[in-house]
Amino acid sequence: MSDLYRIACAAGFSGDRLGVAKPLVKELLRLGGPSCLIFESLAERTLALAQLERLQNERLGYEPLLEEMIKPILLDCVHGGIPIVGNFGAANPKAAAQLIARLAKEQGISDLRIAIVKGDDISSPQFREKLEASLSANDRKILSTSQLVSANIYLGAKEIADALSAGAQIVVTGRVADPALTVGPLMAYFKKDWSDWDFLASATMAGHLLECGAQVTGGYFADPGYKDVPDLSNVGFPIVEFDQAGNICVTKPMNTGGLVNRMTVTEQLLYELHDPAQYLTPDVIADITQAHINDLGSSRVQVTGIKGHPRPGTLKANICIDGGWLAEAEISYAGHHAYQRAQLAAQIIRDRLGKQLDLRVDFIGSSSIFSSDSGHGPVQAANHQFEDIRLRVAAAHQDRSVVMQVCREVTALYTCGPAGGGGVRTSLKPRLNTLVGFIPREDINASYGFYKGEANR
Amino acid sequence: MKRSFVPLYELAHARTGDKGSRSNISVIAYQQKDFAILQRELTAEKVKAHFSFRNPTSVRRYDLPNLTALNFVIDDLLDGGVNLSLNLDSHGKSLSYWLLSMEVNIE
């Protein structure tokens, strides 16, 4: 057995850059040794959107860019013995497996072993009682008066590891904890005990460093003059080297842009982390308070000293409910007195809609981001000389026709508003709201199975 | 002229993450020697006050001396977060740069 196992991450969210998997696979093949390629493509709401898509068409509801993700690298991965693990199954892992089977067939690959992880979807009526019991009293009330769109458990790594150990070349999942995509392959390869908490914690933090793709290799980092990143236009996606003892080394493919250094790794290690002594995941509670980061240079950074504690007794559930409608509308004012004309336009909208809707009003170019929805913001220097202001009005409401008025009234500013208003754009979108529950582990039945072709569905 | 106050971005870098309406902002000293200044200057109370216009309900600070980093966990900073907020930046990804604008005493 080789002492090193490599995992490369080719997506950090649904909608991440395409074409980054090829250089990763090329690098894994160049370096040789056992490895795996992962795709993380499920943010908090992605799955609910996928569920809506599946309701429209039962053959959809998986990652919309799946074909573009997999097609260019499938043959190389199969020939090179690199398994692919992804949560790109979203709300319909079986349909995703079917697509991958078709791609394999088109490329002349026979008998591709595709595993599907099941058990994360708890939206069916049989779970309703458990779902309600998992919520706070307030959230239970919200759920009782809303339409449920999706409910999913964050599964751990066990089913992924079992599928790989059984010979899966592709593992398709729906909702799993993001680090599970990394923990699964590492547990399958190193065959550690599921109560080896330190190993599981290191594997989890390796997954945490990988799961946002380029965020550890120079993305979400550059600040010219303070934190410069070379060739960010061609940022390389991350590779983690992992050993028997749980040591992590983060790196990226040769001849790619971006950088891996102490700063990028520290920022990503703490990303979306709360108490650093207790990072809760389905497989382990990770503790990074004793972690050390060692910058080896040449975009190689070692992370050691991660500790683990026994896994929690409950699993987190992500519940999406219908959240009404969001309307946004914008109009621009430029040149002499632009700011004053935008102010007048905002006053007109407030006069006409302020009684029925809680409006958010932004002056893009002056202030639009730091302030709260209620309009309180940092005290700005009194500079009303802005010459290029885009007014933005946003509001949400359960009733589509009510919120639609935001789009209508901003559009009407063309002829009924201040002088020189131009470039109106409006958007009306359904909204989703998320509730979080915790369900006892023993109430959840997770498993995996091999895809057996369309005829046997 | 020697300055006693500098903007935080001269001493540290930062990154924001979000979960629901809770935000976490890591603040990491560029140089080991400045970590003590961050520990002294960036109390949870001061950070809460710096974000007062967003009405955070609580701010907790976790110290990671090995990493020369502080991690701030700020509750109810995001007007309901990515699902409910009307902000263009509903994740609050830009908020690390508001924290980095804070003036800190380096004497």
Side-chain angles (χ1 to χ4, degrees):
Chain A
M1 188 166 85
S2 164
D3 191 43
L4 269 191
Y5 189 89
R6 289 190 182 87
I7 300 188
C9 179
F13 72 108
S14 175
D16 209 342
R17 187 172 289 161
L18 288 168
V20 299
K22 214 165 168 79
L24 286 172
V25 172
K26 198 174 149 198
E27 183 76 350
L28 293 177
L29 292 171
R30 185 183 74 80
L31 294 165
S35 62
C36 175
L37 180 70
I38 65 170
F39 290 85
E40 199 291 289
S41 56
L42 281 184
E44 246 181 34
R45 296 180 311 161
T46 320
L47 216 151
L49 298 171
Q51 190 74 26
L52 291 174
E53 206 173 47
R54 186 187 184 168
L55 292 174
Q56 300 281 315
N57 180 345
E58 63 165 29
R59 298 177 75 91
L60 297 179
Y62 57 87
E63 165 57 48
L65 295 171
L66 181 59
E67 180 162 351
E68 287 86 341
M69 284 173 169
I70 298 293
K71 203 175 182 172
I73 44 97
L74 184 59
L75 198 60
D76 283 345
C77 284
V78 170
H79 286 167
I82 302 171
I84 301 170
V85 180
N87 55 10
F88 36 52
N92 201 350
K94 199 179 272 182
Q98 194 179 327
L99 170 72
I100 296 169
R102 173 172 68 73
L103 294 175
K105 203 172 158 195
E106 284 169 10
Q107 298 187 12
I109 302 164
S110 56
D111 304 324
L112 184 68
R113 291 171 68 79
I114 307 171
I116 300 169
V117 172
K118 303 167 193 170
D120 65 300
D121 188 342
I122 53 162
S123 59
S124 64
Q126 65 176 107
F127 284 104
R128 185 67 185 216
E129 217 170 291
K130 279 172 185 152
L131 212 59
E132 286 173 7
S134 78
L135 297 172
S136 67
N138 191 38
D139 281 357
R140 202 174 308 136
K141 207 165 129 197
I142 295 173
L143 180 64
S144 69
T145 55
S146 313
Q147 198 183 332
L148 182 76
V149 177
S150 67
N152 295 79
I153 288 288
Y154 284 87
L155 299 178
K158 181 79 165 55
E159 293 70 34
I160 296 171
D162 288 350
L164 290 168
S165 297
Q169 294 162 289
I170 314 270
V171 183
V172 182
T173 81
R175 180 64 80 193
V176 295
D178 296 349
L181 302 171
T182 298
V183 178
L186 291 173
M187 288 299 282
Y189 182 74
F190 288 107
K191 298 186 171 49
K192 296 280 183 177
D193 197 276
W194 288 91
S195 60
D196 188 338
W197 307 119
D198 286 349
F199 185 88
L200 282 164
S202 294
T204 294
M205 295 321 291
H208 179 78
L209 288 167
L210 285 168
E211 76 192 34
C212 295
Q215 279 196 186
V216 73
T217 51
Y220 196 37
F221 179 79
D223 183 1
Y226 284 86
K227 296 186 292 176
D228 289 303
V229 178
D231 196 16
L232 186 53
S233 319
N234 296 302
V235 64
F237 273 52
I239 296 173
V240 156
E241 298 176 354
F242 203 88
D243 73 15
Q244 187 74 254
N247 297 311
I248 297 167
C249 183
V250 187
T251 184
K252 65 182 188 67
M254 267 174 61
N255 305 318
T256 56
L259 85 169
V260 184
N261 65 16
R262 171 184 293 276
M263 293 192 282
T264 67
V265 172
T266 308
E267 284 194 16
Q268 193 55 22
L269 195 61
L270 295 173
Y271 180 68
E272 292 183 348
L273 215 76
H274 298 147
D275 181 349
Q278 298 188 68
Y279 181 53
L280 269 56
T281 77
D283 296 306
V284 66
I285 297 176
D287 176 349
I288 62 158
T289 52
Q290 303 306 312
H292 275 276
I293 292 178
N294 188 12
D295 194 332
L296 306 174
S298 311
S299 276
R300 292 178 62 80
V301 174
Q302 208 176 38
V303 184
T304 56
I306 293 159
K307 298 288 171 205
H309 309 295
R311 67 187 193 184
T314 53
L315 294 170
K316 183 171 156 181
N318 194 19
I319 300 149
C320 272
I321 54 176
D322 171 39
W325 294 86
L326 169 69
E328 295 169 278
E330 296 176 5
I331 184 167
S332 283
Y333 297 90
H336 166 75
H337 272 178
Y339 185 73
Q340 287 75 3
R341 282 178 285 133
Q343 289 277 345
L344 174 58
Q347 193 52 51
I348 293 168
I349 301 294
R350 284 199 184 98
D351 288 346
R352 297 188 62 83
L353 297 178
K355 284 202 184 80
Q356 317 155 52
L357 285 165
D358 289 327
L359 301 170
R360 180 185 171 102
V361 178
D362 293 310
F363 299 89
I364 300 171
S366 154
S367 64
S368 64
I369 294 290
F370 286 152
S371 60
S372 71
D373 281 353
S374 52
H376 299 290
V379 181
Q380 303 273 356
N383 176 1
H384 294 161
Q385 303 306 310
F386 301 107
E387 293 215 339
D388 191 331
I389 294 287
R390 189 152 177 85
L391 173 72
R392 170 180 180 264
V393 184
H397 199 275
Q398 238 9 76
D399 189 337
R400 190 176 185 273
S401 62
V402 173
V403 81
M404 180 71 154
Q405 295 178 87
V406 170
C407 302
R408 296 246 165 83
E409 287 293 344
V410 171
T411 304
L413 289 173
Y414 266 139
T415 54
C416 306
V424 171
R425 299 283 187 278
T426 65
S427 136
L428 188 63
K429 282 185 227 145
R431 285 214 310 182
L432 293 162
N433 189 5
T434 320
L435 306 173
V436 172
F438 292 89
I439 292 189
R441 181 179 284 282
E442 45 291 359
D443 290 347
I444 300 303
N445 285 314
S447 65
Y448 77 93
F450 280 101
Y451 176 73
K452 296 199 176 65
E454 201 164 357
N456 299 329
R457 281 173 81 196
Chain B
M1 197 179 82
K2 197 171 180 307
R3 301 171 302 166
S4 50
F5 281 87
V6 301
L8 180 57
Y9 61 75
E10 293 193 4
L11 306 180
H13 55 111
R15 177 171 295 197
T16 318
D18 68 298
K19 290 248 164 88
S21 200
R22 176 179 285 175
S23 188
N24 88 291
I25 305 180
S26 62
V27 177
I28 304 151
Y30 281 112
Q31 297 186 54
Q32 173 84 48
K33 68 175 176 62
D34 292 331
F35 183 61
I37 297 175
L38 302 188
Q39 283 183 304
R40 186 190 69 212
E41 291 294 306
L42 295 179
T43 61
E45 293 71 32
K46 277 195 200 166
V47 169
K48 192 175 178 189
H50 191 66
F51 281 103
S52 60
F53 56 90
R54 283 277 191 128
N55 300 316
T57 50
S58 81
V59 176
R60 275 158 297 156
R61 184 182 103 178
Y62 298 97
D63 293 24
L64 293 130
N66 284 354
L67 309 180
T68 65
L70 302 174
N71 190 35
F72 293 94
V73 178
I74 312 177
D75 281 332
D76 301 303
L77 190 65
L78 302 177
D79 285 317
V82 65
N83 295 305
L84 297 177
S85 167
L86 299 175
N87 199 315
L88 275 168
D89 175 19
S90 51
H91 297 94
K93 285 180 181 284
S94 59
L95 294 176
S96 53
Y97 275 80
W98 175 246
L99 186 54
L100 288 174
S101 73
M102 194 168 152
E103 295 277 320
V104 290
N105 189 343
I106 53 170
E107 281 186 342

